[in-house]
Amino acid sequence: MSDFFKGMEPLRHDPEAKGVAFRSYDPDEVLMGKRMEDHLRFAVAYWHSFAWPGGDPFGGQTFERPWFGDTMEAARLKADVAFEMFEILGQPYFCFHDADIRPEGADFAESRRNFEEIIDLFEQKMETSRTRLLWGTANLFSHRRFMAGAATNPDPDVFAWSAATVKTCLEATHRLGGENYVLWGGREGYETLLNTDMGREREQAGRFLNMVVEHARKIGFTGSILIEPKPQEPTKHQYDYDVATIYGFLKDFGLEDEVKVNIEQGHAILAGHSFEHELALARELGIFGSIDMNRNDYQSGWDTDQFPNNVPEVALAYYEVLKAGGFDTGGTNFDARLRRQSLNPEDLIAAHAGAMDVCARGFKAAAAMLEDGVLEEMRHARYAGWEAPEAKAMLTSDLDSIAQRVEAEGINPVPRSGRQEILENIVNHYV
Ligand code: XUL
Ligand code: CO
């Protein structure tokens, strides 16, 4: 037991609480026939909470954590503190990259041994903890060997290293009972087209992803394989730009039934979309998987990975999640970090507790909007004309017969209101 959180007690649901507590989130509250905890499936991101030193482009570390350092002893202390935080928050899941949890070794084999030793420790801790693994992933972007990408690297040795790394991380995820495996294409993209063979890099990425799917099957991993879209940052252009781009890529490599998406709020905004756009599209394409619920600063335009605090935005996002039938293997991962001046252990707890409250409020609003059905009724009414047999028949006919009908029946469209302001007013009643 470390003394990092100084004996802080597990958080309780208390709407009147003065200190840190869940004011809105009650894991046991039942909505639409299911407990809130089982709807929202919150996860803590190991990298931001325990591995991030607080740097920005103008300055380095601001956090001083007793587990910072490149030793196995430090990695074990980090794991102890992580599971102590999970105990305080009571969230059901966590997520990690290999590099978050172990020190880098002198070569691949040493890194793997370090990693597997910490996975053993996680396995032990998970026997008594109620925290489960939402997803595992590989960090194929921080070390300088990945500066020109991982699977898309011009150097086949980096492709090999990346394949070996993903195999190790996928197997560890499987061992811990992880429900998903995520691939965020960290530096899978380019800085300049002048030195880039885009066609070749795309082929490499397609084959790589197929190998991941094949290996998952081979080891009996039944969770979901998820790609996380992001348009740029760190590279100037990333190949996994957004949901639509990923779908095209999956179709091209025959993977549209094998791989889904992990959609991050901040990444959607960077791509020039709203979060709900990305969620709705993934649902319509049948590739919705999971979410990273962290926002960016709208003024700076950077991927600032802040905890969510905008209830109306979150409500619209969960509305789309609920329309997709809710989470299956997915969940709500806080891929979010503290601001670099938030030095105290309590800040880490308060950030997550506040985020869970915001999500709970947004989720409740979304559930109410869906249950009341007004929005769906109005959407349905807008397309009601398509219920007519002659309208349906058009979709299987041809231009000649449609043109004939337009003249024979004197078709002359009457514009109708899209009723946007009324719809927005309705949403505002709920949030
Ligand atoms: C980076 C990002 C990653 C992925 C996991 O912007 O979101 O943390 O979620 O690699
Ligand atoms: Co993310």
Side-chain angles (χ1 to χ4, degrees):
M1 186 83 189
S2 82
D3 68 347
F4 185 70
F5 290 110
K6 309 244 169 351
M8 272 183 84
E9 292 294 315
L11 299 187
R12 300 263 165 259
H13 171 67
D14 178 0
E16 310 302 328
K18 295 278 178 286
V20 185
F22 299 126
R23 310 260 166 83
S24 311
Y25 174 57
D26 176 359
D28 293 319
E29 182 178 349
V30 173
L31 235 70
M32 302 175 98
K34 210 154 116 179
R35 291 170 66 247
M36 284 290 269
E37 181 176 87
D38 302 328
H39 275 297
L40 291 162
R41 295 165 60 88
F42 289 131
V44 165
Y46 210 91
W47 51 103
H48 286 313
S49 290
F50 309 112
W52 183 62
D56 71 9
F58 304 94
Q61 178 175 344
T62 56
F63 298 137
E64 288 176 341
R65 306 300 198 207
W67 58 85
F68 281 177
D70 284 336
T71 63
M72 284 301 286
E73 197 189 347
R76 280 189 284 269
L77 175 61
K78 179 161 44 171
D80 289 346
V81 173
F83 277 79
E84 283 162 24
M85 186 169 99
F86 303 162
E87 190 72 31
I88 295 170
L89 292 174
Q91 95 291 348
Y93 291 103
F94 75 115
C95 305
F96 67 85
H97 304 81
D98 53 347
D100 309 333
I101 69 168
R102 54 96 179 113
E104 181 89 23
D107 54 17
F108 185 87
E110 194 189 343
S111 291
R112 182 181 54 72
R113 283 194 300 273
N114 290 348
F115 176 67
E116 285 170 353
E117 218 178 286
I118 301 294
I119 295 295
D120 291 341
L121 181 62
F122 282 180
E123 201 170 34
Q124 254 174 45
K125 287 180 179 295
M126 288 166 76
E127 276 169 22
T128 50
S129 162
R130 60 188 296 278
T131 313
R132 291 159 285 155
L133 180 61
L134 186 65
W135 47 265
T137 187
N139 179 329
L140 303 177
F141 44 89
S142 293
H143 193 280
R144 63 195 289 275
R145 76 174 67 85
F146 302 118
M147 69 183 187
T152 62
N153 204 290
D155 179 353
D157 284 353
V158 180
F159 184 98
W161 185 290
S162 306
T165 304
V166 170
K167 169 183 144 68
T168 309
C169 292
L170 181 58
E171 288 173 3
T173 301
H174 183 44
R175 173 139 77 92
L176 295 179
E179 298 191 30
N180 308 269
Y181 185 81
V182 166
L183 297 112
W184 168 57
R187 291 184 194 272
E188 310 291 30
Y190 62 78
E191 298 297 344
T192 172
L193 263 184
L194 295 175
N195 66 10
T196 302
D197 182 341
M198 205 168 4
R200 179 195 285 269
E201 293 198 1
R202 209 167 164 274
E203 289 297 322
Q204 286 176 209
R207 182 61 203 129
F208 191 92
L209 188 56
N210 260 299
M211 285 196 255
V212 175
V213 169
E214 286 160 16
H215 194 71
R217 271 203 219 111
K218 185 163 148 190
I219 64 175
F221 177 73
T222 53
S224 308
I225 309 269
L226 308 174
I227 299 197
E228 183 172 323
K230 186 174 183 180
Q232 66 274 126
E233 203 194 11
T235 65
K236 173 182 163 54
H237 175 86
Q238 308 228 168
Y239 297 136
D240 301 332
Y241 197 96
D242 59 3
V243 169
T245 309
I246 287 180
Y247 188 69
F249 175 82
L250 295 178
K251 281 286 243 194
D252 205 6
F253 291 94
L255 290 167
E256 70 275 20
D257 297 327
E258 308 291 340
V259 177
K260 297 190 167 89
V261 281
N262 178 45
I263 304 173
E264 177 166 321
Q265 199 264 7
H267 297 178
I269 307 295
L270 284 178
H273 304 304
S274 65
F275 193 20
E276 58 271 23
H277 164 93
E278 289 288 80
L279 294 165
L281 183 60
R283 186 192 62 236
E284 296 301 336
L285 296 171
I287 56 168
F288 170 68
S290 195
I291 63 174
D292 275 6
M293 182 59 101
N294 42 285
R295 69 194 167 90
N296 288 349
D297 182 288
Y298 285 117
Q299 279 82 50
S300 76
W302 294 346
D303 186 15
T304 53
D305 285 332
Q306 291 172 246
F307 286 90
N309 72 353
N310 185 323
V311 175
E313 274 184 359
V314 167
L316 292 176
Y318 280 125
Y319 189 75
E320 300 302 332
V321 171
L322 280 172
K323 280 186 65 182
F327 293 121
D328 177 16
T329 60
T332 303
N333 174 42
F334 297 118
D335 185 1
R337 57 181 186 256
L338 293 172
R339 297 306 86 196
R340 69 198 292 271
Q341 297 177 53
S342 302
L343 302 179
N344 299 340
E346 192 192 27
D347 295 325
L348 211 42
I349 303 296
H352 284 93
M356 293 187 200
D357 274 348
V358 167
C359 289
R361 289 175 60 190
F363 186 87
K364 281 187 205 180
M369 288 194 285
L370 201 62
E371 279 188 321
D372 290 359
V374 190
L375 293 176
E376 294 314 306
E377 268 166 40
M378 288 175 69
R379 192 196 313 267
H380 193 73
R382 189 157 180 253
Y383 294 88
W386 283 98
E387 296 303 318
E390 59 277 19
K392 282 186 183 154
M394 265 198 300
L395 297 179
T396 50
S397 75
D398 53 45
L399 295 187
D400 274 337
S401 38
I402 294 174
Q404 246 172 29
R405 199 169 69 87
V406 168
E407 294 202 12
E409 295 179 19
I411 289 177
N412 192 5
V414 181
R416 291 196 178 81
S417 172
R419 310 180 79 190
Q420 182 169 338
E421 293 76 9
I422 293 174
L423 289 161
E424 288 165 348
N425 293 352
I426 292 171
V427 170
N428 283 329
H429 289 315
Y430 290 92
V431 296

